[in-house]
Amino acid sequence: MHGVAFARLSDGRAAARGTAREVSYQRAGGRLDGRVAVASLYPEAGTGYAMFGEVLLTAPRVDGDLGNKRGSASGGVTFRASRGDHGTTERLFWDGPADRLTGDRAVAAQGPGYAVRSQGFSARADGSDVTLTGGVIGTLQPTGDPTAQPTASRPSTSRKPQAASRKPQAASRKPAETR
């Protein structure tokens, strides 16, 4: 099929909708393959990712096994949330029965008060738990309001990015460097 539009309904409301340039669906096996997919997710109030607002996902390739509720997106997956968060990774996997999203490729994301990079991630599909894996580099700028955008006049409490897997250094004989 070419120029496909889809919607996912949950409790009588649109939970997601999107388009794909091409979709191949094998009904007997529940296999789905798509090209140039774009989806908007509308988080339900009270869920872990409701604070992000609408989330737009794009991927050059998607595939799935609808019977087993598993799938993947690849070729340069991006996301952009209405709150201002955005990021990229080469590939991600969806495991419906476990309610998890995972990625085994480099991830870069930033949003209000943070910018991070890691070598992978694992997250509950509802957004209630996100773990960056394989070493994390990033900066944080705490704010009183988690949805507030950082401003240039606000003093930054971020530090130079450092790998999270770094081992503590032994006491040095040199005087400590001041910043």
Side-chain angles (χ1 to χ4, degrees), residues 23-95:
V23 172
S24 168
Y25 177 61
Q26 298 170 357
R27 187 173 183 177
R31 179 87 186 147
L32 176 82
D33 293 295
R35 301 287 176 259
V36 190
V38 177
S40 291
L41 309 176
Y42 308 103
E44 189 174 342
T47 62
Y49 64 98
M51 69 180 172
F52 296 105
E54 179 183 346
V55 177
L56 181 70
L57 296 168
T58 64
R61 291 181 301 279
V62 295
D63 63 75
D65 180 339
L66 301 180
N68 290 321
K69 297 183 178 180
R70 287 181 167 68
S72 68
S74 61
V77 181
T78 67
F79 81 90
R80 180 168 299 280
S82 60
R83 183 181 85 163
D85 305 78
H86 56 95
T88 61
T89 188
E90 178 59 26
R91 164 173 85 184
L92 66 81
F93 301 97
W94 169 63
D95 181 342

Side-chain angles (χ1 to χ4, degrees), residues 6-177:
F6 61 89
R8 179 179 177 272
L9 301 176
S10 176
D11 296 327
R13 68 172 195 83
R17 69 180 75 215
T19 61
R21 185 176 296 160
E22 293 179 31
V23 172
S24 168
Y25 177 61
Q26 298 170 357
R27 187 173 183 177
R31 179 87 186 147
L32 176 82
D33 293 295
R35 301 287 176 259
V36 190
V38 177
S40 291
L41 309 176
Y42 308 103
E44 189 174 342
T47 62
Y49 64 98
M51 69 180 172
F52 296 105
E54 179 183 346
V55 177
L56 181 70
L57 296 168
T58 64
R61 291 181 301 279
V62 295
D63 63 75
D65 180 339
L66 301 180
N68 290 321
K69 297 183 178 180
R70 287 181 167 68
S72 68
S74 61
V77 181
T78 67
F79 81 90
R80 180 168 299 280
S82 60
R83 183 181 85 163
D85 305 78
H86 56 95
T88 61
T89 188
E90 178 59 26
R91 164 173 85 184
L92 66 81
F93 301 97
W94 169 63
D95 181 342
D99 194 34
R100 306 250 355 132
L101 294 169
T102 58
D104 61 353
R105 298 289 193 263
V107 177
Q110 65 184 72
Y114 73 93
V116 295
R117 290 186 317 228
S118 75
Q119 293 306 308
F121 73 95
S122 177
R124 286 188 47 83
D126 70 1
S128 62
D129 172 51
V130 177
T131 303
L132 298 172
T133 60
V136 179
I137 297 173
T139 58
L140 297 174
Q141 183 174 10
T143 62
D145 176 359
T147 62
Q149 294 286 334
T151 62
S153 62
R154 183 177 289 148
S156 175
T157 58
S158 63
R159 293 186 288 159
K160 184 169 63 172
Q162 297 179 0
S165 61
R166 228 171 146 177
K167 294 180 183 177
Q169 295 180 345
S172 174
R173 293 181 191 199
K174 295 180 184 179
E177 178 180 304

